[in-house]
Amino acid sequence: EAGVTQSPTHLIKTRGQQVTLRCSPISGHTSVYWYQQALGLGLQFLLWYDEGEERNRGNFPPRFSGRQFPNYSSELNVNALELEDSALYLCASSLTLGQYSNQPQHFGDGTRLSIL
Amino acid sequence: AQTVTQSQPEMSVQEAETVTLSCTYDTSESDYYLFWYKQPPSRQMILVIRQEAYKQQNATENRFSVNFQKAAKSFSLKISDSQLGDAAMYFCAYRSFYNNNDMRFGAGTRLTVKP
């Protein structure tokens, strides 16, 4: 079974540019999550998509956005890049088996975004 | 809001010995899930062990076990017979029982294993 895949693995951008990161969940998983992991910090929740809808977002400005496609893959878009956006962006997927599921999230390898 | 605290930014253990990583959390909920994830240099987060708060018995997965103290809101991870491949960042995570997609992570503990 293929795991969560993310592309690209590494990106270098400059301030003010825009970037799109991509994620393909494990087959059968309908929920996709995006996290930001800045150097030396834990994971900060960005966005959660399920069944094509944005279900929740973390404490990030609107220039962080995304979408989920009918095949459950997802994109994370970041506009007007700032230096502090440099981080590892992790995508995770999980089953959504109802409200009281103990299913864990499965993570991809991440995209390392560097802002110059 | 739920918060997760890992007070040990770095830990070190000798190969074959035992190490315990600490995690505390703050919540007003009575039911929830707790997880330990491992992130090796390859970057991929790997689930190590999980614990349901309504279970009194501590979870165990081979060399990995937890000490879950619900009243103290503590969830430590014990790694026995440490191996070189255990070297990684370890993240403690909390997930609400009532909102199973709201997951909070600690800042992580970097574990070094010395040969």
Side-chain angles (χ1 to χ4, degrees):
Chain A
E1 175 185 271
V4 177
T5 57
Q6 291 186 245
S7 63
T9 56
H10 196 176
L11 267 178
I12 300 174
K13 293 285 188 177
T14 57
R15 289 174 60 188
Q17 285 188 311
Q18 178 267 342
V19 69
T20 297
L21 311 182
R22 295 177 175 83
C23 172
S24 293
I26 291 173
S27 177
H29 286 189
T30 60
S31 278
V32 171
Y33 314 81
W34 287 96
Y35 294 89
Q36 182 194 66
Q37 186 181 17
L39 189 63
L41 297 179
L43 279 70
Q44 302 298 317
F45 169 71
L46 267 166
L47 289 159
W48 166 36
Y49 291 95
D50 183 61
E51 296 288 352
E53 300 284 333
E54 181 181 303
R55 303 294 185 183
N56 198 10
R57 67 179 291 127
N59 188 25
F60 281 85
R63 58 190 185 84
F64 287 84
S65 64
R67 54 180 173 168
Q68 186 179 33
F69 298 97
N71 66 353
Y72 303 114
S73 66
S74 176
E75 286 183 350
L76 173 68
N77 299 294
V78 188
N79 295 321
L81 286 166
E82 300 178 3
L83 292 177
E84 54 263 34
D85 296 334
S86 293
L88 178 68
Y89 289 83
L90 289 167
C91 173
S93 74
S94 75
L95 296 166
T96 306
L97 297 178
Q99 199 171 10
Y100 306 129
S101 168
N102 68 345
Q103 294 300 307
Q105 296 180 6
H106 300 264
F107 286 81
D109 289 346
T111 294
R112 173 75 63 192
L113 176 61
S114 300
I115 311 302
L116 304 180
Chain B
Q2 298 84 9
T3 58
V4 179
T5 303
Q6 293 179 248
S7 59
Q8 306 153 315
E10 296 184 357
M11 290 285 283
S12 179
V13 64
Q14 204 72 34
E15 193 176 7
E17 293 189 345
T18 296
V19 65
T20 299
L21 309 183
S22 302
C23 173
T24 59
Y25 55 93
D26 184 30
T27 184
S28 58
E29 297 177 338
S30 58
D31 294 314
Y32 46 86
Y33 301 108
L34 296 165
F35 304 83
W36 277 98
Y37 279 88
K38 166 185 176 182
Q39 187 181 39
S42 65
R43 307 189 316 198
Q44 186 174 42
M45 296 276 282
I46 302 165
L47 177 67
V48 174
I49 199 165
R50 79 182 92 171
Q51 174 84 40
E52 290 87 349
Y54 57 83
K55 290 187 179 178
Q56 293 186 340
Q57 187 171 9
N58 289 324
T60 300
E61 289 285 343
N62 300 315
R63 297 182 296 107
F64 298 88
S65 62
V66 299
N67 184 4
F68 173 48
Q69 301 289 327
K70 191 172 183 179
K73 296 179 183 176
S74 171
F75 183 60
S76 61
L77 174 70
K78 185 171 83 170
I79 306 174
S80 305
D81 186 23
S82 297
Q83 301 175 359
L84 295 177
D86 294 334
M89 282 289 287
Y90 285 81
F91 292 95
C92 178
Y94 170 103
R95 191 172 79 198
S96 170
F97 184 81
Y98 300 99
N99 181 1
N100 70 336
N101 294 293
D102 181 6
M103 198 152 175
R104 309 296 171 103
F105 288 83
T109 296
R110 181 174 302 282
L111 178 66
T112 303
V113 181
K114 298 178 180 178

